[in-house]
Amino acid sequence: MAPLLKIFIQWLPTLPGTLKSKSHGQSTIEVPSFSEVYEQQYPINPPQAFHDKAIHTLDEETKQISSVSWGKDHLDIFGFNGENLTHKYWDGNQWNPSDHTMEQLGHGLATRPVSISWGTGRLDIFGLDEDGTILHQYYDGTAWKPDVAEFERLGKGCNPSEEIAASTWGPDSLDVFCRDPKDEQILHQYYNGHGWSELELFGGDVAIGPRVVSWGKNHMAVFFLDSDGEVNQRYWDGSQWSNEWDTFTNPKDYKFDTLSVSSWGENRIDVWAAERNSGLWHLYWDGHQWSEWECLSGPDDEPIDHVSVASWSVNKLDVVTLGRDDRQYRYKFYDGASWQPSVSGWYDRPGVEFESIPSVISWGPNRLDIFGVTADDKLLHQAWTGYDWYPGDEKWETLSEPHKAEAKSKSSSYGQESIEIELRV
């Protein structure tokens, strides 16, 4: 099936409302180019490729990473080393600045970065400093702005120990959400192509979140889990925000503690939630109505800590989870007709214990890239090429080694200085 390559031109016929149902490594030396697999160019990725789907803190925040793609054969990975934004990218032929180094960008970051892209050559990175100020650095196709080592400082008032979420529905559209440390409400700031708004109170009584996803031009939805573990949603319909938060009744009165959201294109929202004894549950909006909850794993399976989701086309879903106890990644996919290997089954991604949330991204049809960080600070990568897993079904490519004693300068195609650092991404 052809990939979704257009900027969205249709609006939803109706708006998403409330659901009331109670149913239910090894290091490899050479990285090949996969450009021969795809003959078409994909100048603008579908919205599901604009951002990571699982944004959730762990005890050691510095091991969290964010990945994004702005088109075919391009991957960017971001993390931080305690105070600086770190960056590595695939340009279609090789990893830069080198196979085993990251480059340093903005200074002053105190949380996991969130990366998004609104189109070809554009990257926007957000995070928080220690005072809860939103930090923003972007690549405009020619250079990092406001400078290679500086962040733009936006609104102040976010909880620096909690999540930040960001989304875009197209050029000159940026929305950032965080939590107020005083009353646990959501705060919102946006860019409209002319300038940034003030940081505004957005409401909600948040226990986990926020999460945000765009499901079409000038459309987005914001989600969070409340103190009862129930999913709450508020949406932008193209002209205004819905007045109230919709609350989704959880299946079997489970109290969810993990939440992710995603979209494969216009008129589609997917919600993913889990709790230690519940397995993974899935809910979706099809453009007209919300589905019932469906269970994708059983309570006897490995408890799920985090969920990350990517989609390379309409009707395609790739789901990667982090085990709560064994720290292993597991994988399943929806092929447009059914779940594989089964509705409740999973494929193991064996051999490695991860400390980070899986970061999952797709640059086009039949392509999937999974990134993770281990306890000894190695950044690992595995890719589905359309035919098989690279570097192997049970192997991972090492993209950054632990601490290097000597700093080393080197130019990159982004025109920045790279430095070998300890990868606490």
Side-chain angles (χ1 to χ4, degrees), residues 70-176:
W70 51 257
K72 175 182 176 287
D73 260 334
H74 285 274
L75 293 166
D76 288 83
I77 312 164
F78 297 89
F80 79 106
N81 62 2
E83 54 183 27
N84 282 87
L85 179 68
T86 60
H87 175 227
K88 187 181 194 76
Y89 61 96
W90 173 259
D91 63 7
N93 294 296
Q94 63 184 5
W95 286 107
N96 295 278
S98 71
D99 283 351
H100 299 295
T101 57
M102 304 278 283
E103 61 183 0
Q104 291 191 131
L105 299 178
H107 180 77
L109 190 66
T111 64
R112 170 190 187 265
V114 175
S115 57
I116 58 177
S117 172
W118 71 42
T120 302
R122 176 74 185 206
L123 296 168
D124 286 87
I125 320 302
F126 298 92
L128 297 174
D129 68 9
E130 292 180 348
D131 296 326
T133 299
I134 299 173
L135 302 180
H136 175 225
Q137 189 172 22
Y138 63 96
Y139 186 74
D140 65 2
T142 59
W144 286 101
K145 302 292 181 69
D147 189 69
V148 62
E150 294 182 12
F151 283 103
E152 174 184 19
R153 302 176 72 83
L154 303 179
K156 181 178 180 179
C158 301
N159 188 336
S161 64
E162 299 293 344
E163 298 94 327
I164 185 171
S167 184
T168 177
W169 48 258
D172 291 327
S173 158
L174 296 168
D175 287 81
V176 186

Side-chain angles (χ1 to χ4, degrees), residues 105-408:
L105 299 178
H107 180 77
L109 190 66
T111 64
R112 170 190 187 265
V114 175
S115 57
I116 58 177
S117 172
W118 71 42
T120 302
R122 176 74 185 206
L123 296 168
D124 286 87
I125 320 302
F126 298 92
L128 297 174
D129 68 9
E130 292 180 348
D131 296 326
T133 299
I134 299 173
L135 302 180
H136 175 225
Q137 189 172 22
Y138 63 96
Y139 186 74
D140 65 2
T142 59
W144 286 101
K145 302 292 181 69
D147 189 69
V148 62
E150 294 182 12
F151 283 103
E152 174 184 19
R153 302 176 72 83
L154 303 179
K156 181 178 180 179
C158 301
N159 188 336
S161 64
E162 299 293 344
E163 298 94 327
I164 185 171
S167 184
T168 177
W169 48 258
D172 291 327
S173 158
L174 296 168
D175 287 81
V176 186
F177 300 85
C178 64
R179 284 167 63 180
D180 187 329
K182 298 176 182 178
D183 56 15
E184 302 303 325
Q185 294 192 66
I186 294 174
L187 301 174
H188 173 224
Q189 191 165 13
Y190 63 90
Y191 177 77
N192 60 9
H194 302 287
W196 283 96
S197 70
E198 297 295 325
L199 191 63
E200 62 182 1
L201 192 64
F202 195 72
D205 184 9
V206 184
I208 293 175
R211 310 286 190 262
V212 59
V213 66
S214 172
W215 34 270
K217 183 179 180 181
N218 212 8
H219 289 277
M220 74 182 70
V222 181
F223 296 82
F224 70 86
L225 292 177
D226 59 28
S227 58
D228 293 323
E230 292 189 317
V231 179
N232 292 259
Q233 176 217 201
R234 192 177 174 194
Y235 56 87
W236 175 258
D237 66 6
S239 60
Q240 62 183 1
W241 287 101
S242 55
N243 292 326
E244 298 180 352
W245 289 93
D246 295 325
T247 301
F248 298 79
T249 302
N250 287 1
K252 301 182 180 179
D253 294 322
Y254 286 127
K255 186 176 181 178
F256 292 136
D257 60 11
T258 295
L259 176 68
S260 298
V261 295
S262 64
S263 172
W264 68 40
E266 59 182 309
N267 295 352
R268 177 72 182 208
I269 303 173
D270 290 88
V271 179
W272 316 84
E275 181 257 353
R276 172 171 282 277
N277 299 314
S278 74
L280 177 64
W281 290 81
H282 173 227
L283 178 74
Y284 62 89
W285 169 258
D286 65 5
H288 302 280
Q289 62 184 358
W290 284 99
S291 70
E292 303 289 342
W293 287 102
E294 66 171 339
C295 185
L296 298 181
S297 65
D300 296 330
D301 294 337
E302 170 67 21
I304 292 171
D305 203 357
H306 299 279
V307 184
S308 296
V309 184
S311 175
W312 51 262
S313 182
V314 173
N315 286 323
K316 306 293 183 182
L317 292 166
D318 292 275
V319 183
V320 182
T321 64
L322 172 64
R324 191 169 301 210
D325 296 329
D326 67 9
R327 315 309 294 171
Q328 301 281 314
Y329 288 172
R330 289 174 176 80
Y331 165 72
K332 73 188 308 168
F333 65 95
Y334 184 73
D335 63 10
S338 60
W339 285 103
Q340 303 297 331
S342 66
V343 172
S344 60
W346 292 83
Y347 297 105
D348 290 334
R349 310 277 6 112
V352 179
E353 290 187 14
F354 287 94
E355 289 293 317
S356 73
I357 302 164
S359 190
V360 185
I361 203 71
S362 173
W363 73 43
N366 265 321
R367 176 71 189 204
L368 185 69
D369 290 85
I370 305 173
F371 302 91
V373 181
T374 63
D376 58 354
D377 296 324
K378 289 184 178 181
L379 174 61
L380 301 185
H381 170 236
Q382 194 175 68
W384 175 254
T385 69
Y387 306 102
D388 53 22
W389 287 100
Y390 174 85
D393 190 55
E394 298 186 7
K395 295 180 180 179
W396 292 79
E397 173 188 17
T398 300
L399 296 184
S400 186
E401 298 284 0
H403 182 263
K404 304 284 186 182
E406 230 177 87
K408 199 160 121 168

